[in-house]
């Protein structure tokens, strides 16, 4: 087990132990010996600090239990796992997780009107305002994952049998949200470049109005899709939706938190983001933001009254089931937020690094990029059927040979054994790591006599 994360955890565990001592330190009762209690408290704190120095404390026991070891790869490896990159926690989020690990810890100061987004201390209410501003919408709520955002919108807007327009690259959770609401998905086909074109969306809407006999209740499109990570013309698509009076949801699971997203400029009625995918937050977390026009519908409060007790819970929002994220999940999301907001301004640099790596990969003969190229995002789909997979065909480890070679070089996150068409993400890697990564792939190619037409990597 390695250095930085391990040390952080050890220190945090020690801090918790010290807190525990402090909690029990005050002697109670008439015969309490304050001096003895103080001495014992000091001795126990000293022992905890000695353990910390020697590496034999609580954190050590957790390591033995294997809790920390399994996640050491973030520290020891360059991780190119496609869906984790921008969800990795900041150190601030890690601390918040520990401090607010207890389930309802965010509710200590929950006062009237009893609802999560109204809590002032910690500043959850202002975080909601910040989130709405962040995506330039009027109102926002935290939700347990982007999928719960789709669900809240679909459940509010879609009735039984209503068609809903989605992309042919839409995420499965959008299908489920529509199905849960009783709607039917209608997919807009892709252009030859795997893009969603506004004209195709208009054609599909016309077709659906004819075939289903009604105007679609909602259009949901992925800003960046999960298959190719291509950027789609959200503004053009939203414009088409509005020409037919169809509300438009922008699925920003791969954009909110990594690049600037201006919901109003895009013409979105709803913007959904994923905390654990793109906002350096723990799972499940996400955001659903909307305009004043739609907030009353999607964030409607309960009108129900108990028939026996006459109870009412008026302030609670139906789609949010009252309150959503609690404890460590929300506090860690909040702790990461300043860094997340700031990093979106550096997305261009991330894209440059992504292109530099892909360029290096394309120098390996037979390798293709299936995503739009040059890249506009850090997630990319590559096809190595004509390069590494040729080696896999004859290697005794078959498709696992590439993973073996990458592991040896400290690279993790590819799907072991999948060496044909696969996805990777370079988000957050330094230039140094990008160059190392590129060199590593080229070295492996050369080792197995796959020609490399070098140009990008000079040293
Ligand atoms: C494009 C896209 N949308 C939505 C989701 C679901 O996001 P979440 O896990 O936050 O519900 C995913 C992730 O798996 C995704 O790739």
């Amino acid at each position: 087990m390695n250095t930085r994360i391990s040390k952080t955890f050890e220190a945090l565990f020690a801090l918790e132990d010290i807190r525990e001592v402090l909690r029990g330190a005050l002697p109670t009762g008439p015969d309490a010996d304050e001096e003895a209690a103080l001495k014992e408290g000091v001795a126990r704190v000293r022992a905890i600090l000695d353990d910390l120095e020697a590496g034999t404390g609580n954190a050590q026991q957790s390591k033995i239990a294997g809790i920390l070891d399994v996640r050491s790869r973030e520290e020891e490896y360059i991780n190119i796992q496609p869906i984790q990159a921008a969800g990795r926690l900041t150190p601030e989020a890690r601390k918040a997780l520990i401090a607010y690990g207890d389930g309802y810890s965010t509710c200590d100061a929950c006062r009237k009107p009893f609802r999560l987004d109204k809590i002032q201390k910690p500043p959850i209410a202002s975080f909601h305002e910040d989130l709405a501003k962040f995506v330039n919408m009027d109102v926002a709520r935290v939700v347990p994952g982007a999928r719960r955002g789709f669900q809240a919108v679909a459940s509010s807007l879609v009735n039984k049998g209503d068609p809903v327009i989605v992309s042919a690259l839409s995420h499965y959770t959008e299908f489920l949200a529509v199905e849960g609401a009783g709607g039917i998905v209608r997919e807009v086909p892709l252009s030859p470049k795997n893009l969603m074109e506004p004209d195709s969306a208009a054609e599909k809407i016309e077709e659906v109005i004819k075939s289903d006999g009604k105007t679609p209740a909602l259009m949901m499109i992925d800003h960046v899709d999960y298959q190719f990570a291509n950027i789609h013309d959200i503004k053009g698509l939203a414009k088409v939706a509005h020409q037919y009076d169809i509300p438009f949801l922008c699925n920003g699971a791969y954009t909110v938190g990594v690049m600037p997203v201006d919901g109003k400029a895009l013409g979105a009625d709803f913007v959904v983001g994923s905390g654990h995918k793109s906002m350096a937050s723990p799972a499940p977390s996400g955001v659903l933001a909307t305009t004043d026009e739609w907030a009353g519908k999607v964030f409607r409060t309960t009108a129900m009254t108990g028939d026996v007790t006459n109870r009412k819970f008026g302030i609670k929002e139906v789609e949010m089931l009252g309150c959503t994220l609690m404890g460590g999940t929300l506090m860690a999301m909040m702790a990461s937020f300043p860094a997340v907001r700031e990093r979106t301004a550096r997305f261009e640099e991330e894209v440059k690094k992504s292109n530099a790596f892909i360029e290096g990969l394309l120098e390996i003969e037979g390798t293709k990029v299936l995503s739009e190229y040059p890249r506009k995002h850090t997630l990319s789909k590559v096809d190595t059927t004509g390069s590494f997979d040729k080696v896999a065909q004859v290697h005794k480890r078959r498709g696992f040979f590439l993973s073996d070679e990458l592991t040896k070089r400290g690279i993790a996150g590819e799907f072991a054994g999948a060496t044909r068409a696969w996805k990777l993400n370079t988000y957050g890697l330094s230039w140094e790591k990008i160059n190392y990564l590129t060199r590593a792939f080229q070295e492996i190619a050369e080792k197995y006599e796959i020609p490399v037409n070098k140009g990008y990597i000079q040293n």
Side-chain angles (χ1 to χ4, degrees):
M1 181 72 185
N2 68 75
T3 49
R4 192 160 52 87
I5 282 194
S6 165
K7 287 282 165 225
T8 311
F9 272 104
E10 282 172 29
L12 286 168
F13 275 103
L15 197 63
E16 276 304 306
D17 288 347
I18 291 172
R19 273 202 195 140
E20 193 59 44
V21 172
L22 294 179
R23 265 185 225 128
L26 279 184
T28 51
D31 301 328
D33 182 342
E34 287 191 18
E35 204 171 322
L38 192 67
K39 259 192 194 156
E40 197 201 317
V42 169
R44 282 172 61 193
V45 169
R46 234 180 234 135
I48 292 166
L49 293 174
D50 286 348
D51 269 349
L52 178 65
E53 208 166 48
T56 51
N58 254 343
Q60 196 62 29
Q61 284 162 27
S62 300
K63 273 190 249 166
I64 292 163
I67 296 169
L68 303 182
D69 279 335
V70 288
R71 289 303 295 160
S72 67
R73 73 182 195 168
E74 287 307 329
E75 279 289 290
E76 292 170 354
Y77 290 83
I78 293 177
N79 190 352
I80 54 172
Q81 213 281 350
I83 66 173
Q84 292 174 358
R88 267 176 222 135
L89 301 190
T90 57
E92 292 75 20
R94 286 185 192 279
K95 286 181 205 157
L97 259 187
I98 301 256
Y100 281 87
D102 295 337
Y104 291 112
S105 53
T106 35
C107 313
D108 287 346
C110 182
R111 304 281 180 272
K112 245 182 167 177
F114 302 107
R115 209 173 69 200
L116 183 79
D117 58 293
K118 306 280 187 195
I119 295 174
Q120 303 285 341
K121 206 172 139 198
I124 297 170
S126 63
F127 176 58
H128 279 76
E129 285 163 23
D130 290 347
L131 273 180
K133 270 190 220 136
F134 179 54
V135 290
N136 194 21
M137 297 295 273
D138 300 322
V139 189
R141 295 286 183 270
V142 289
V143 286
R147 63 196 70 199
R148 293 290 180 176
F150 311 147
Q151 186 182 41
V153 175
S155 155
S156 306
L157 270 60
V158 179
N159 293 312
K160 201 166 169 25
D162 282 351
V164 173
I165 302 288
V166 298
S167 143
L169 292 174
S170 66
H171 194 252
Y172 78 92
T173 51
E174 291 163 77
F175 268 53
L176 301 190
V178 173
E179 186 172 346
I184 304 158
V185 291
R186 298 288 183 222
E187 296 173 281
V188 179
L190 291 172
S191 77
K193 290 186 170 168
N194 293 327
L195 290 169
M196 285 287 296
E197 303 286 2
D199 285 350
S200 313
E203 267 171 44
K204 186 70 188 192
I205 294 169
E206 293 285 350
E207 185 189 309
V208 169
I209 292 172
K210 272 198 204 114
S211 63
D212 295 22
K214 28 177 149 168
T215 303
L218 175 68
M219 180 155 157
M220 271 197 270
I221 304 289
D222 302 15
H223 197 176
V224 162
D225 68 84
Y226 77 100
Q227 293 203 36
F228 300 102
N230 291 345
I231 297 200
H232 301 278
D233 178 7
I234 292 296
K235 197 172 174 178
L237 291 157
K239 194 170 165 201
V240 167
H242 289 153
Q243 280 163 0
Y244 292 87
D245 274 336
I246 301 171
F248 184 89
L249 182 152
C250 168
N251 172 7
Y254 274 111
T255 55
V256 174
V258 296
M259 61 187 261
V261 173
D262 182 331
K264 290 212 174 137
L266 291 171
D269 298 294
F270 306 97
V271 173
V272 171
S274 170
H276 47 269
K277 196 185 286 295
S278 297
M279 299 175 80
S281 304
S285 60
V287 55
L288 164 61
T290 186
T291 56
D292 286 331
E293 184 190 350
W294 290 100
K297 191 162 177 99
V298 174
F299 302 136
R300 68 196 174 282
T301 50
T302 169
M304 200 79 94
T305 308
D307 66 335
V308 173
T309 60
N310 216 24
R311 289 177 306 151
K312 291 184 185 147
F313 302 96
I315 190 74
K316 307 291 190 193
E317 292 169 342
V318 176
E319 294 300 340
M320 301 296 113
L321 290 176
C323 301
T324 56
L325 303 188
M326 301 151 196
T329 317
L330 173 59
M331 293 314 293
M333 191 182 187
M334 285 168 62
S336 276
F337 185 64
V340 164
R341 185 165 47 189
E342 198 255 334
R343 75 186 189 182
T344 57
R346 287 183 266 114
F347 190 61
E348 281 311 308
E349 189 69 9
E350 292 294 335
V351 171
K352 270 190 203 153
K353 287 185 274 180
S354 164
N355 273 307
F357 171 66
I358 295 293
E359 223 172 284
L361 207 60
L362 292 176
E363 288 175 0
I364 300 169
E365 217 171 271
T367 303
K368 291 185 201 147
V369 58
L370 302 178
S371 306
E372 61 185 340
Y373 183 71
R375 298 297 303 121
K376 294 179 185 162
H377 200 271
T378 56
L379 170 67
S380 300
K381 187 167 191 175
V382 296
D383 182 350
T384 50
T385 314
S387 51
F388 294 113
D389 195 53
K390 281 193 174 161
V391 178
Q393 300 300 321
V394 293
H395 198 282
K396 66 176 185 310
R397 290 276 294 148
R398 306 294 290 181
F400 291 97
F401 97 93
L402 182 59
S403 296
D404 296 344
E405 292 290 355
L406 291 172
T407 308
K408 266 190 246 164
R409 290 165 176 79
I411 296 160
E414 80 297 339
F415 284 103
T419 49
R420 294 187 181 99
W422 52 288
K423 291 185 281 187
L424 54 92
N425 201 333
T426 57
Y427 190 81
L429 297 183
S430 62
W431 273 108
E432 199 188 356
K433 286 184 177 168
I434 290 285
N435 286 340
Y436 175 86
L437 191 68
T438 314
R439 223 176 281 128
F441 272 93
Q442 295 197 346
E443 254 176 44
I444 299 169
E446 281 168 344
K447 178 173 169 185
Y448 291 94
E449 294 173 0
I450 306 170
V452 179
N453 311 306
K454 282 191 190 177
Y456 163 63
I457 294 285
Q458 304 294 335
N459 48 1

